[in-house]
Amino acid sequence: NAGVTQTPKFRVLKTGQSMTLLCAQDMNHEYMYWYRQDPGMGLRLIHYSVGEGTTAKGEVPDGYNVSRLKKQNFLLGLESAAPSQTSVYFCASTKSGGSGANVLTFGAGSRLTVL
Amino acid sequence: AQSVTQPDIHITVSEGASLELRCNYSYGATPYLFWYVQSPGQGLQLLLKYFSGDTLVQGIKGFEAEFKRSQSSFNLRKPSVHWSDAAEYFCAVGPTQGGSEKLVFGKGTKLTVNP
């Protein structure tokens, strides 16, 4: 009964390096989301997916790419990391996200530092 | 565009004291309203939600919130705070038109509990 699992939990990158954050959920949820959390900014949506094989841009998508090849996994990629991408990244999922009434289940977060 | 304001960035209370965290929203209609809590190093967890009906809603851990349409507010309350309530609290607004990708979070209120 793991819920939403994010890996890695911590990562330090140098400017220009690439990396992928993995989000895995075992609740058979259709919708998945990637947020970033910065001090004093709350959570901002990067990308989301409404089902396997689909992705869409959120509020702050620049510099990130995503893929949802399997229903249970949602990957967030940084092709060329920049210091502005230093943040805590949260993955979330929900059974059916077609309504604003849905409750999100969050992972524990991945802290990324770009030097 | 919808928005959420949490006027207090940081609140400190003594253990056993009462607590009220403020949340104001801007939206064309009555939205779906949520309070999430983030304990240190953890993801967000739902405390309570309001969709319709009784304007006083009960949540987990002894929290409650009251929806006041006239004030566009959804303040969170607890009669007696415990040390384990120290966390960051986020108010969120979900749209009545569209999906969870349009969920908007406030910037959060950090709660410190003194012994």
Side-chain angles (χ1 to χ4, degrees):
Chain A
N1 203 18
V4 177
T5 303
Q6 294 181 227
T7 52
K9 289 184 168 46
F10 303 93
R11 184 73 188 270
V12 178
L13 289 177
K14 294 181 179 178
T15 297
Q17 287 185 319
S18 63
M19 76 156 296
T20 300
L21 298 176
L22 170 63
C23 176
Q25 53 92 5
D26 60 1
M27 299 170 288
N28 201 33
H29 283 177
E30 287 292 334
Y31 288 65
M32 297 186 73
Y33 309 84
W34 275 109
Y35 290 90
R36 61 178 289 173
Q37 182 183 38
D38 302 292
M41 298 293 291
L43 274 76
R44 293 181 291 169
L45 183 64
I46 305 171
H47 285 281
Y48 65 100
S49 169
V50 303
E52 182 178 320
T54 72
T55 63
K57 294 179 180 179
E59 178 187 357
V60 289
D62 293 343
Y64 304 95
N65 56 75
V66 288
S67 64
R68 183 105 181 261
L69 299 180
K70 294 183 178 180
K71 185 177 182 179
Q72 63 268 33
N73 296 337
F74 194 28
L75 279 65
L76 178 71
L78 285 71
E79 290 186 349
S80 179
S84 61
Q85 293 178 303
T86 293
S87 187
V88 181
Y89 292 85
F90 286 98
C91 178
S93 70
T94 186
K95 179 77 174 168
S96 174
S99 163
N102 292 108
V103 174
L104 303 183
T105 300
F106 284 85
S110 297
R111 182 176 294 274
L112 174 65
T113 301
V114 183
L115 303 176
Chain B
Q2 61 198 57
S3 65
V4 180
T5 301
Q6 293 181 246
D8 304 304
I9 296 172
H10 191 184
I11 283 182
T12 300
V13 299
S14 298
E15 190 168 17
S18 63
L19 172 70
E20 182 170 33
L21 302 182
R22 296 182 290 164
C23 173
N24 293 96
Y25 66 89
S26 174
Y27 193 68
T30 299
Y32 302 117
L33 296 161
F34 306 83
W35 275 100
Y36 284 85
V37 60
Q38 183 182 26
S39 298
Q42 299 297 315
L44 279 70
Q45 178 187 16
L46 180 73
L47 274 178
L48 47 76
K49 60 186 185 289
Y50 173 78
F51 293 166
S52 65
D54 192 348
T55 56
L56 186 64
V57 294
Q58 303 296 322
I60 62 171
K61 305 183 182 185
F63 284 90
E64 65 178 26
E66 185 172 13
F67 168 61
K68 292 186 176 180
R69 185 191 309 272
S70 62
Q71 298 177 19
S72 296
S73 69
F74 189 55
N75 294 349
L76 182 71
R77 302 194 294 246
K78 187 169 185 179
S80 178
V81 170
H82 188 262
W83 63 267
S84 61
D85 294 324
E88 191 156 17
Y89 292 80
F90 293 92
C91 182
V93 169
T96 53
Q97 299 292 327
S100 294
E101 73 277 4
K102 294 186 170 62
L103 189 67
V104 175
F105 288 88
K107 294 183 179 181
T109 298
K110 185 175 182 180
L111 174 66
T112 297
V113 180
N114 287 335

